[in-house]
Amino acid sequence: MKKHNIIISAALVSGMLVEACVNDLDVEPLTPSVVTSATAWNNDTAAECFLAKIYSAFAINGQDGPGNSDANDIVGADQGEATFIRSYWNLQELSSDEAKCSWGDEALNGLNYSNWGPTNRFIMLNYDRLYVNIAFCNEFLHSTSDDGGKMSEYRAEARVLRAFSYYVLMDLYGNIPFTDENSGIGAYLPEQQGRAYFFQWIESELKDVVASGALPEKSTANYGKVNKYVAEMILANLYINAEVYGQGDHYADAATYLADIIDNGGYILEPNYQHNFNADNNLSSEIIFPIIFDGLYAQSFGGTTYVIKSALGKDMQISTYGVDDAWEGNRAPQDLSSIFESGDTRALFYKENRTQDMSDNTSYKSGWTVVKFNNLTRDGQSGSNPAFADTDFPFYRLADAY
């Protein structure tokens, strides 16, 4: 009997302790600097960290580094391929007459020979990546509100990054689903909209953000962030292609925004073309919107690491390009390499033991090697890490505006 009483008493004490512990957790932090889920969205510093996550989602695939991990934003067999720049670059370049890849698996050949379908993994990875980025933007905008200060600035940046994502999706795929910060939460199929809808929506969204004056100023300190001129470049890109989207002639609108960028943006064409594509291209006076990479802190087997290493051959002295490996994949067909006139400093090709004519797409040495991108600083020093490039990807440059 005594034994039972001890057990019952122990159970009562245990229950009291559990209740006490549970109640003890129902308190506010004693230190105001501690950020909780209830206060995070009212905290400029915490909100800035979430915004940084949105920016990084255009460069890397999560917080776990370049390897495969279920903690990354998109679960895939190759985390390098699951990044925005690598999948986007493959879709844009390999399907054109500017580049071909000799690796020759089914998905790459689908792009090499313009014979892709909906199951092509680069189409799916690019599509998923952009919608993940949009989901991040929607969550940020749903959970914050304009305050006339830093939060308004952060929200303006998120709106432009979301509009940019929708522009790329609309441009590549045509009819796509639409969600924003006011859409329902849960499992449902968003309504698809066509290019006419997205043209109007992207135009309206970007013009509204630019007119608000909330975007950060263009400055060295704000390098890599969305500013007014980034938004105007996206608008100009939209207007230049308006006829493709069934929206008629908008060249005058494009010219208006491009003139503002050229005349008032303070961007200057780099005297040395290659300074736009090397390890310290953050010093370039020409880059309007870069996707930022860092050999130590923003590592990826996508991005510029992929652009550089996939082009280099093992017969080259790869250390002179600031990297530690050559993947022997992408090179230029004659359609591209033959259009440069003698003396054109943009003709950055390695030609030794290669044929200009790409007679055999499965052979890496059929076609010239493109050495436009490298992981060297402008004074010839290697980047911070030969395994992963410091080189930022210049999505928009002043040359594009011209």
Side-chain angles (χ1 to χ4, degrees):
M1 193 68 179
K2 182 179 179 182
K3 181 177 180 181
H4 289 296
N5 286 336
I6 292 173
I7 294 173
I8 292 170
S9 299
L12 288 172
V13 171
S14 174
M16 292 169 64
L17 289 173
V18 169
E19 179 67 22
C21 290
V22 170
N23 291 336
D24 282 348
L25 293 176
D26 294 335
V27 297
E28 293 297 318
L30 297 177
T31 305
S33 62
V34 174
V35 178
T36 68
S37 60
T39 63
W41 295 115
N42 299 318
N43 181 293
D44 285 353
T45 301
E48 186 178 25
C49 290
F50 194 107
L51 184 65
K53 166 62 183 180
I54 299 174
Y55 276 106
S56 73
F58 289 95
I60 57 180
N61 195 35
Q63 284 79 257
D64 254 11
N68 294 322
S69 169
D70 289 342
N72 282 320
D73 300 337
I74 298 175
V75 178
D78 186 322
Q79 287 302 305
E81 291 185 346
T83 57
F84 169 62
I85 290 298
R86 183 162 172 176
S87 61
Y88 183 74
W89 192 95
N90 283 347
L91 291 177
Q92 293 284 58
E93 298 297 321
L94 300 183
S95 61
S96 74
D97 56 6
E98 296 179 352
K100 299 298 174 188
C101 186
S102 63
W103 296 339
D105 64 41
E106 183 179 1
L108 288 167
N109 276 341
L111 302 177
N112 283 332
Y113 300 115
S114 297
N115 188 31
W116 60 83
T119 60
N120 187 294
R121 70 177 182 276
F122 294 108
I123 290 176
M124 293 191 291
L125 288 169
N126 176 262
Y127 186 90
D128 290 348
R129 160 51 58 196
L130 287 166
Y131 270 110
V132 166
N133 293 5
I134 288 169
F136 291 153
C137 294
N138 285 343
E139 177 62 21
F140 185 87
L141 294 167
H142 172 78
S143 302
T144 60
S145 57
D146 288 316
D147 63 355
K150 276 295 181 182
M151 198 67 79
S152 293
E153 178 181 303
Y154 298 155
R155 284 174 54 84
E157 293 175 69
R159 289 174 68 187
V160 174
L161 292 172
R162 181 177 62 178
F164 172 69
S165 299
Y166 271 128
Y167 174 70
V168 175
L169 283 163
M170 180 266 283
D171 181 62
L172 288 175
Y173 305 113
N175 296 336
I176 53 173
F178 176 75
T179 62
D180 64 11
E181 67 271 30
N182 300 312
S183 299
I185 298 173
Y188 69 98
L189 291 176
E191 185 177 355
Q192 280 189 298
Q193 302 287 353
R195 281 175 163 169
Y197 176 90
F198 277 102
F199 184 95
Q200 301 294 333
W201 186 88
I202 295 166
E203 178 188 36
S204 174
E205 184 79 350
L206 291 175
K207 290 175 72 173
D208 185 64
V209 174
V210 170
S212 75
L215 288 170
E217 293 294 320
K218 173 185 174 288
S219 69
T220 302
N222 286 332
Y223 172 79
K225 298 189 77 176
V226 166
N227 59 43
K228 167 190 173 183
Y229 303 108
V230 174
E232 290 186 342
M233 275 299 291
I234 302 169
L235 270 169
N237 212 166
L238 180 76
Y239 287 139
I240 285 286
N241 292 291
E243 290 177 317
V244 177
Y245 309 140
Q247 300 305 301
D249 181 338
H250 281 265
Y251 294 116
D253 293 321
T256 297
Y257 286 108
L258 293 171
D260 187 42
I261 295 165
I262 293 168
D263 296 339
N264 303 313
Y267 301 98
I268 303 170
L269 292 175
E270 275 292 320
N272 186 325
Y273 173 71
Q274 194 160 36
H275 286 172
N276 293 304
F277 310 101
N278 55 16
D280 57 353
N281 60 349
N282 59 293
L283 301 177
S284 170
S285 59
E286 184 176 331
I287 297 176
I288 297 172
F289 181 42
I291 307 296
I292 294 180
F293 294 92
D294 186 284
L296 298 178
Y297 302 108
Q299 299 177 345
S300 170
F301 289 114
T304 49
T305 297
Y306 166 72
V307 175
I308 296 167
K309 289 186 175 181
S310 68
L312 298 181
K314 298 185 184 300
D315 62 335
M316 302 167 66
Q317 192 174 347
I318 58 176
S319 62
T320 62
Y321 300 96
V323 295
D324 62 356
D325 199 4
W327 296 349
E328 298 193 330
N330 295 322
R331 62 267 193 261
Q334 188 173 0
D335 305 78
L336 175 66
S337 61
S338 63
I339 65 174
F340 294 92
E341 297 179 1
S342 176
D344 192 330
T345 57
R346 299 171 300 172
L348 298 168
F349 299 106
Y350 183 92
K351 309 172 187 178
E352 190 173 342
N353 296 321
R354 283 140 175 78
T355 62
Q356 185 178 21
D357 179 31
M358 190 177 288
S359 57
D360 182 3
N361 189 53
T362 64
S363 171
Y364 166 71
K365 293 185 179 180
S366 185
W368 286 353
T369 297
V370 179
V371 291
K372 182 169 83 171
F373 282 84
N374 63 54
N375 191 33
L376 300 173
T377 62
R378 57 179 58 191
D379 61 0
Q381 301 300 308
S382 295
S384 63
N385 184 353
F388 300 100
D390 287 332
T391 312
D392 300 331
F393 188 89
F395 204 95
Y396 289 127
R397 297 185 291 123
L398 182 62
D400 299 321
Y402 278 115

